[in-house]
Amino acid sequence: MSAPVRLVLASSSPRRRELLATLGVEFEVRPADADETPREGETPEPLVLRLALAKARAAARPGELVLGADTIVALDGEPLGKPADAAEARAMLARLSGRHHQVWTGVALVERSAVGARERALAVVTDVVFRTLEPAEIDAYVASGEPLDRAGAYAIQGGAAAFVASVDGSWSNVVGLPVGAVRELLARHGRSPADFAAAPGVSRRT
């Protein structure tokens, strides 16, 4: 049987925290940052895998299992991260209008011990299609402020839900954490959500 460890989420995202909680686990939140600038020629899958691992490594401490994640939107294979300002958010949404794009999330687990570190990672992709957006719709959505801290300048669980024509794949992946993939990654690591089950009435530490 695996030794008891504490589960840590290396993210400040309330969306990831809510999604991880659906597995019924108790966990600590310890945000970790990484330079999200793509390397020259880096495609979406290796990018999200690298960043998820970087975030998990940055937060890792002995005796803990740390979960890191990174999400990007990709249009024609080009990664679209978080917009720098309203003008960039508006431009991203205009590019996504009426188009098919992908949402990639990398998830990674890092467990450190006295003898080294065990690391695992996988990437999930979901296909999303936007209907054609009117300029006034884009302007109103950008004015709401919601796009400014979102990969691809939109939140499918928020105001951009009305922009989506179809989703093929994991919906939670588009939100920011593919819950099924987290469960799969835990299993590959020899763990399960039951190993971190929250006791009744116990609050998750944040």
Side-chain angles (χ1 to χ4, degrees), residues 19-159:
L19 288 166
L20 184 57
T22 65
L23 291 176
V25 295
E26 181 182 0
F27 58 93
E28 180 177 340
V29 174
R30 186 181 304 144
D33 293 321
D35 182 355
E36 298 182 356
T37 306
R39 294 171 177 169
E40 184 175 357
E42 193 170 34
T43 54
E45 183 172 7
L47 172 61
V48 295
L49 288 171
R50 176 174 65 83
L51 293 179
L53 274 168
K55 293 174 182 179
R57 288 167 179 161
R61 299 174 186 171
E64 299 175 338
L65 184 60
V66 181
L67 174 67
D70 187 76
T71 301
I72 64 164
V73 169
L75 181 64
D76 297 329
E78 177 190 347
L80 302 179
K82 298 173 183 176
D85 51 32
E88 189 173 3
R90 192 175 293 106
M92 283 186 183
L93 291 165
R95 290 181 64 190
L96 294 172
S97 175
R99 300 286 307 281
H100 169 279
H101 65 271
Q102 290 76 41
V103 178
W104 286 88
T105 299
V107 289
L109 289 175
V110 173
E111 183 174 5
R112 285 186 179 165
S113 69
V115 296
R118 297 172 61 208
E119 300 182 346
R120 298 179 188 276
L122 59 79
V124 176
V125 62
T126 300
D127 293 312
V128 180
V129 178
F130 269 19
R131 63 176 175 78
T132 300
L133 308 179
E134 297 295 333
E137 289 182 286
I138 294 175
D139 289 342
Y141 184 53
V142 172
S144 76
E146 187 176 85
L148 297 181
D149 191 36
R150 305 295 198 281
Y154 77 91
I156 195 172
Q157 76 279 15

